[in-house]
C-alpha cells in the first residue's frame, strides 16, 4: 500500500525538508519532487549519502546544509 501511495504522489511536491540524521535512502523521496523541486537536507548522517546521478537529471535539486559547523 505504501508503494502505491508513493507512486500516486510522484512529482507532486515542490519542497521536502529532511531532518533525519540516520542513514536512509533519498531516491524514494526525490521521486516525490516536481520538476525544479527542492530537497533540503538538514540532518546529516555520519556516512556520505550514496545518490545515483540519474536521479537528479530531471530537474530535481538537492541542497545539503550542515548546521553542525
Amino acid at each position: 500500500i505504501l508503494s502505491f501511495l508513493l507512486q500516486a504522489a510522484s512529482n507532486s511536491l515542490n519542497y521536502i525538508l529532511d531532518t533525519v540524521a540516520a542513514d536512509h535512502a533519498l531516491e524514494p523521496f526525490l521521486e516525490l519532487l516536481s520538476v525544479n523541486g527542492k530537497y533540503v537536507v538538514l540532518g546529516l548522517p555520519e556516512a556520505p549519502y550514496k545518490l545515483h546521478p540519474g536521479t537528479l537529471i530531471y530537474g530535481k535539486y538537492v541542497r545539503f546544509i550542515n548546521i553542525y559547523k
Side-chain angles (χ1 to χ4, degrees):
I1 292 176
L2 181 59
S3 63
F4 172 75
L5 293 174
L6 288 175
Q7 186 178 18
S10 179
N11 297 313
S12 65
L13 299 176
N14 293 322
Y15 297 96
I16 296 177
L17 178 62
D18 183 346
T19 60
V20 177
D23 281 336
H24 61 288
L26 298 180
E27 284 85 357
F29 300 104
L30 291 174
E31 293 295 325
L32 298 174
L33 286 174
S34 61
V35 174
N36 296 322
K38 294 171 179 49
Y39 189 94
V40 179
V41 179
L42 295 178
L44 295 177
E46 294 198 18
Y49 281 114
K50 294 181 181 177
L51 184 63
H52 189 276
T55 308
L56 302 175
I57 287 176
Y58 299 107
K60 312 296 179 166
Y61 179 76
V62 179
R63 170 174 263 169
F64 294 94
I65 300 171
N66 184 354
I67 62 172
Y68 303 105
K69 288 184 179 180

